[in-house]
Amino acid sequence: MSSTLLQIKELKVHFPMPKTSLFAPSSSAVKAVDGVTLDVKKGETLGLVGESGCGKSTLGRAILQLIRSTSGEVVFDGVDLTRQWSHRFGIWRPKDRLRRLRQRMQIIFQDPYSALNPRMTIESIVSEPLKTFNILSGQALRQRVQELMEKVGLDPSYIRRYPHEFSGGQRQRIGIARAIALNPDFIIADEPISALDVSIQAQILNLLKKLQKEMGMTLVFIAHDLAAVRHISDRVAVMYLGKIVELGDTQKIIYDPLHPYTKALISSIPVPDPLLEKSRKRTILEGEIPSPIDPPSGCAFHTRCPIMTEACKSNVPKLRTISDQYDHVVSCDLV
């Protein structure tokens, strides 16, 4: 039996741009995800990091087919999700097989305030997946909702309340309860702590670690906070401008980064020691992130790279293995 649950092969998600004038190119598009190849192993937590706008959330939604991909493959437990669509009356719709697979794939959204319907009670919100797939009904359904509330650390008696009666951290716990209602094999956590207070972030991280251990789930954890990624992840993938630039064991990525972009991200993590923080050398990236509509030729990072050479302007680096022991790959010809 394969240890790989998810395989992503040359996945691209391009959003066509409206033609603003007669002379504007008709083929322009926002290249949000531009050729990502990635494997996710069963039972692991893969951290996905990068600057805002690099395509992390788009990649997460494309994996679950909440956004249709432009090209490439997303193979979940042997099934290519990108082929599970039917076209009728000019509309693309998921086939029944993809609908059934959605029981095994769930998502935790970034904003707990907008992720919950304010007109629905907590009981209705958490029980919605169970009703959709006709898993439970009646008293058994209510009992399952109460069990889920206890599992995420909330009082079961709260199920008759509405989302506005809860704090941000409590709302995120409700979102987690909804995500685990069907006992999924795979969850994408799309920056689940970025909208929360620092004191609450650690509680949510520990809750996710506890649930993953108890339920044996596979987790893709998307975040800006590298300290949080280090705490929860087994492996880390670093994204830049729609591409994976480095992937490897968490400890190897954090303490021995190879790609210049990864080094800059790691150097931005504050050290809780004033003397050490003051003396350490940081890598400061100059310039702005290039537009995903018209990315640079060659290496996409060459416009900001401190070790760039002339060859970087024309050669497109491929992900290559640096260390088999740590499953460490990097996309840089200078490493």
Side-chain angles (χ1 to χ4, degrees):
M1 183 179 293
S2 174
S3 63
T4 300
L5 179 66
L6 180 73
Q7 292 177 301
I8 305 168
K9 303 175 183 178
E10 288 297 321
L11 187 68
K12 295 184 179 181
V13 182
H14 295 177
F15 298 104
M17 293 288 291
K19 193 172 182 179
T20 55
S21 71
L22 182 64
F23 303 101
S26 58
S27 60
S28 61
V30 177
K31 299 176 181 178
V33 178
D34 197 22
V36 169
T37 297
L38 191 65
D39 288 350
V40 182
K41 302 172 184 176
K42 290 181 180 178
E44 78 166 340
T45 298
L46 176 70
L48 189 60
V49 301
E51 294 171 288
S52 295
C54 71
K56 304 186 300 298
S57 295
T58 303
L59 175 60
R61 283 165 168 75
I63 291 172
L64 298 181
Q65 295 298 292
L66 299 179
I67 298 174
R68 284 210 71 212
S69 53
T70 305
S71 64
E73 297 179 2
V74 179
V75 181
F76 178 79
D77 203 12
V79 179
D80 186 356
L81 304 181
T82 61
R83 298 181 183 274
Q84 305 303 314
W85 290 83
S86 60
H87 190 266
R88 191 177 183 186
F89 305 122
I91 301 174
W92 286 97
R93 299 180 184 275
K95 292 182 182 178
D96 290 339
R97 191 178 189 185
L98 178 55
R99 289 194 182 97
R100 291 194 299 270
L101 282 171
R102 291 203 189 283
Q103 296 183 56
R104 302 176 59 194
M105 306 179 295
Q106 294 295 318
I107 185 170
I108 301 168
F109 293 99
Q110 176 178 358
D111 185 4
Y113 293 90
S114 61
L116 306 179
N117 189 331
R119 297 187 178 187
M120 294 173 66
T121 64
I122 303 308
E123 182 178 8
S124 298
I125 290 171
V126 177
S127 65
E128 191 172 21
L130 298 164
K131 292 178 181 177
T132 300
F133 292 99
N134 299 315
I135 306 297
L136 294 171
S137 61
Q139 185 59 36
L141 179 63
R142 171 166 292 184
Q143 185 175 351
R144 173 60 175 163
V145 172
Q146 291 174 335
E147 290 174 357
L148 290 167
M149 292 288 281
E150 283 188 303
K151 191 179 283 285
V152 298
L154 293 176
D155 192 326
S157 64
Y158 291 169
I159 62 174
R160 294 185 180 275
R161 297 186 181 184
Y162 288 85
H164 73 271
E165 300 179 69
F166 295 88
S167 66
Q170 289 175 322
R171 291 190 196 195
Q172 195 61 286
R173 289 175 184 268
I174 294 166
I176 294 172
R178 178 177 60 185
I180 66 172
L182 296 170
N183 293 317
D185 299 316
F186 177 68
I187 286 183
I188 287 183
D190 185 10
E191 302 191 40
I193 62 172
S194 63
L196 306 178
D197 294 337
V198 175
S199 59
I200 306 300
Q201 290 180 1
Q203 296 178 20
I204 298 299
L205 286 176
N206 290 333
L207 174 62
L208 289 173
K209 288 188 69 174
K210 175 188 173 185
L211 291 174
Q212 185 196 24
K213 185 176 180 180
E214 291 177 353
M215 303 174 67
M217 297 183 301
T218 303
L219 185 67
V220 171
F221 184 80
I222 301 172
H224 288 103
D225 190 343
L226 288 168
V229 170
R230 177 174 56 188
H231 176 69
I232 197 173
S233 302
D234 301 306
R235 290 192 301 151
V236 175
V238 183
M239 278 192 78
Y240 182 80
L241 212 63
K243 299 178 183 291
I244 299 294
V245 296
E246 190 166 359
L247 169 66
D249 178 82
T250 299
Q251 300 301 315
K252 196 69 176 174
I253 294 290
I254 296 295
Y255 297 107
D256 188 22
L258 298 178
H259 196 281
Y261 178 62
T262 310
K263 291 180 179 180
L265 289 181
I266 300 303
S267 72
S268 68
I269 302 176
V271 177
D273 184 333
L275 296 178
L276 186 59
E277 177 70 19
K278 185 177 181 180
S279 62
R280 75 186 183 116
K281 184 179 179 181
R282 296 184 59 186
T283 302
I284 306 298
L285 296 179
E286 298 180 356
E288 298 293 329
I289 302 176
S291 170
I293 300 174
D294 185 24
S297 60
C299 176
F301 186 61
H302 84 258
T303 57
R304 305 171 71 195
C305 182
I307 60 172
M308 183 268 297
T309 64
E310 285 299 315
C312 298
K313 297 180 180 179
S314 56
N315 296 337
V316 180
K318 302 290 185 181
L319 275 174
R320 55 193 177 91
T321 302
I322 301 299
S323 171
D324 291 329
Q325 180 182 359
Y326 296 100
D327 196 18
H328 198 166
V329 296
V330 66
S331 174
C332 180
D333 293 336
L334 301 179
V335 173

